[in-house]
């Protein structure tokens, strides 16, 4: 008995890396998996049939999977991805939005193309499958069917939650995904569908591309024993979030790195000062705004 027996799951960007780990874990827990992957290079260029590699691994291990080669950020491809699960496999329970690319550069060197491509794949590539999946679940719900097995699991990054030098496009997209998760969780709540976000890690080609990181890219199936850099370390958390066990968990961001799960806290109100029912006088603010009140780290600010 697996946690996900009888469920149908989509994992985007599951031809390699972290997504491959999720697809293997969901299948091991009994789900039938649609393995989506565009099969491009790290910067998003090119196309291939890399989804087949993960489908073959799942099949070898006794699971059930089918491939999808669509672009998650294309609205028509995303619609076809949802239709593939519903029409060919009879239902849709789980959408894991994981696909991603990287085009790192400092903000002064970042081109418009670098910005647009990364925002497109991560942010629109999370919106598009979510949009079509929720439309499907909403239709089912309105027709009187239960959609309480519905799960959306998005992918942020530690870098997106705290900022990272040289990744303005990537961190903006990843922070946006965390905010998107909070809003969608509110919108799908009444149907019993949950929407959460994980922050994974692992020695994938994306991690190996970080200058000076000294990481060698390895696929999750190349690890035979526990390793902190195994890209599938977060996959058990994804399987749990996808299951009935986590039906009460929604709108949350969990970083699952190595053997730890960190419950991330959202933006929340910090110290507050009031002008006392009048407009602020900018010449008086320096005396009020100091490190003790706002913990400012901005260069040039006088404390
Ligand atoms: N590796 C890490 O340490 C780390 C840390 C935090 C977050 N993440 C996130 O985890 C996710 C997976 O990254 P990874 O490290 O496994 O990288 P990866 O490059 O190994 O895998 C990403 C996969 O997404 C696919 N993909 C890219 N664009 C696509 C598109 N438009 N449509 C469909 N598939 C597409 C690629 O072909 C690739 O197989 C990403 O969202 C990444 O931002 C990774």
């Amino acid at each position: 008995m697996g946690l996900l027996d009888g469920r149908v799951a989509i994992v985007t960007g599951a031809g390699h890396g972290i997504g491959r780990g999720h697809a293997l874990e969901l299948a091991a827990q009994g789900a039938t998996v649609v393995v989506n992957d565009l099969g491009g290079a790290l910067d998003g260029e090119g196309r291939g049939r890399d989804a087949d590699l993960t489908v073959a691994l799942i099949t070898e291990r006794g699971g059930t999977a089918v491939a999808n080669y669509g672009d998650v950020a294309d609205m028509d491809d995303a619609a076809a991805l949802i239709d593939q699960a519903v029409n060919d496999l009879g239902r849709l329970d789980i959408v894991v939005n994981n696909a991603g690319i990287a085009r790192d550069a400092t903000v002064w060197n970042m081109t418009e193309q670098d910005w647009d491509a990364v925002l497109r794949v991560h942010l629109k590539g999370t919106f598009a499958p979510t949009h079509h999946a929720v439309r499907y679940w909403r239709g089912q719900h309105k027709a009187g069917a239960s959609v309480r097995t519905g799960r959306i699991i998005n992918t942020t990054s530690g870098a997106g939650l705290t900022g990272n030098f040289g990744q303005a496009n990537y961190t903006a997209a990843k922070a946006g995904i965390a905010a998107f998760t909070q809003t969608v969780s509110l919108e799908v709540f009444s149907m019993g569908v949950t929407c959460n976000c994980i922050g994974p890690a692992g020695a994938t080609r994306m991690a190996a591309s970080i200058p000076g990181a000294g990481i060698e890219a390895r696929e999750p199936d190349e690890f035979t024993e526990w390793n902190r850099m195994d890209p599938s370390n977060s996959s058990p958390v994804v399987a749990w979030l996808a299951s009935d066990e986590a039906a009460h968990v929604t709108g949350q961001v969990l970083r699952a790195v190595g053997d730890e799960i960190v419950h991330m806290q959202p933006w929340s109100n910090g110290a507050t000062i009031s002008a006392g029912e009048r407009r602020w006088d900018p010449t008086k603010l320096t005396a009020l705004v100091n490190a003790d009140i706002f913990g400012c780290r901005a260069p040039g600010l006088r404390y």
Side-chain angles (χ1 to χ4, degrees):
M1 280 287 285
L3 274 182
L4 302 172
D5 284 340
R7 304 283 158 85
V8 171
I10 291 170
V11 184
T12 72
H16 295 286
I18 288 166
R20 180 185 289 188
H22 297 341
L24 290 169
E25 182 68 47
L26 298 185
Q29 292 299 331
T32 297
V33 183
V34 183
V35 176
N36 158 269
D37 206 291
L38 182 75
L42 178 63
D43 65 1
E45 295 294 337
R47 292 188 91 120
R49 301 230 149 185
D50 303 33
D52 291 344
L53 304 169
T54 303
V55 170
L57 277 169
I58 290 173
T59 310
E60 265 171 40
R61 296 179 183 190
T64 310
V66 295
N68 173 284
Y69 313 111
D71 173 359
V72 286
D74 180 285
M75 292 305 284
D76 293 338
D77 281 7
L81 176 62
I82 303 306
D83 285 350
Q84 187 176 351
V86 173
N87 297 335
D88 296 358
L89 304 173
R91 58 187 290 145
L92 173 65
D93 303 284
I94 302 153
V95 176
V96 183
N97 290 307
N98 162 84
I101 62 170
R103 293 187 180 203
D104 295 353
T106 51
V107 74
W108 58 88
N109 284 326
M110 188 171 287
T111 65
E112 182 182 0
Q113 291 75 20
D114 293 338
W115 175 268
D116 285 349
V118 169
L119 268 287
R120 180 182 177 278
V121 173
H122 287 274
L123 209 43
K124 190 175 174 193
T126 297
F127 162 71
T130 300
H131 168 79
H132 290 297
V134 173
R135 281 185 73 83
Y136 165 68
W137 286 323
R138 196 158 178 265
Q140 294 288 103
H141 179 65
K142 282 189 156 183
S146 170
V147 291
R148 299 189 72 79
T149 55
R151 300 283 183 274
I152 303 158
I153 300 161
N154 298 324
T155 308
T156 188
S157 151
L161 301 171
T162 57
N164 200 28
F165 190 97
Q167 292 194 306
N169 49 2
Y170 180 79
T171 54
K174 289 313 213 185
I177 289 170
F180 176 79
T181 300
Q182 289 180 310
T183 294
V184 173
S185 75
L186 301 174
E187 294 177 353
V188 298
F189 182 78
S190 62
M191 293 189 280
V193 174
T194 71
C195 181
N196 292 289
C197 194
I198 58 144
T204 65
R205 66 178 180 177
M206 190 181 287
S209 74
I210 298 169
I215 293 171
E216 184 197 343
R218 291 170 73 187
E219 296 289 352
D221 43 293
E222 291 172 34
F223 290 88
T224 51
E225 54 191 39
W226 157 256
N227 187 303
R228 189 168 175 78
M229 298 306 289
D230 182 343
S232 66
N233 283 338
S234 63
S235 302
V237 184
V238 170
W240 177 76
L241 284 171
S243 75
D244 288 340
E245 301 285 315
H248 58 297
V249 180
T250 195
Q252 304 304 311
V253 177
L254 303 177
R255 283 199 73 211
V257 176
D259 60 354
E260 290 181 342
I261 301 172
V262 182
H263 183 203
M264 301 304 292
Q265 299 300 311
W267 286 100
S268 55
N269 292 349
T272 306
I273 55 175
S274 165
E277 303 217 350
R278 70 185 81 168
R279 275 167 58 85
W280 290 102
D281 176 349
T283 66
K284 302 276 167 51
L285 273 170
T286 306
L288 294 167
V289 180
N290 57 46
D292 291 339
I293 292 181
F294 287 162
C296 296
R297 285 183 294 153
L301 200 77
R302 285 179 293 132
Y303 295 132

